[in-house]
Amino acid sequence: MHEEIAEFLRYWVGIRGSDELPSRDRVDPMTIPRRLLSKVNLMTFDKARDDFRFTLVGSLAHDVRGSEISGTHVADLPNRIGGSRAAYAEH
């Protein structure tokens, strides 16, 4: 296993306690190992929109995309052939 994945798994297991996933209040970006933070993306589920929204996007994803997507819902991301995913799903 790649050392960065192993390091993140140790962090994740440490904050989740006996739960399958850690609660949002246990996930503090300031406690994520610094060398991993640029590779981490956090999302929350927006019940009103029935969609996930990016709440934290590491700089690596920003560099790859060439744009900031923090605060963006998944359905609003452009798909590979242009337009939003929501518009594509309507066709």
Side-chain angles (χ1 to χ4, degrees), residues 31-50:
T31 64
I32 295 172
R34 188 169 180 81
R35 73 183 196 123
L36 304 178
L37 195 54
S38 68
K39 300 173 179 119
V40 172
N41 300 316
L42 298 177
M43 302 171 88
T44 57
F45 187 72
D46 183 342
K47 290 179 183 179
R49 286 198 46 179
D50 193 32

Side-chain angles (χ1 to χ4, degrees), residues 4-86:
E4 288 180 339
I5 294 172
E7 184 177 2
F8 186 78
L9 286 174
R10 285 190 297 274
Y11 164 78
W12 194 252
V13 167
I15 65 169
R16 73 182 175 122
S18 61
D19 299 327
E20 190 172 337
L21 295 172
S23 60
R24 176 60 185 101
D25 63 326
R26 289 186 188 167
V27 181
D28 178 1
M30 298 302 292
T31 64
I32 295 172
R34 188 169 180 81
R35 73 183 196 123
L36 304 178
L37 195 54
S38 68
K39 300 173 179 119
V40 172
N41 300 316
L42 298 177
M43 302 171 88
T44 57
F45 187 72
D46 183 342
K47 290 179 183 179
R49 286 198 46 179
D50 193 32
D51 194 8
F52 287 93
R53 182 177 60 84
F54 289 94
T55 55
L56 173 76
V57 179
S59 60
L60 180 63
H62 179 273
D63 293 346
V64 169
R65 291 191 57 79
S67 63
E68 177 60 55
I69 61 171
S70 291
T72 303
H73 286 86
V74 172
D76 296 334
L77 292 174
N79 65 36
R80 294 182 183 170
I81 59 173
S84 73
R85 292 181 192 275

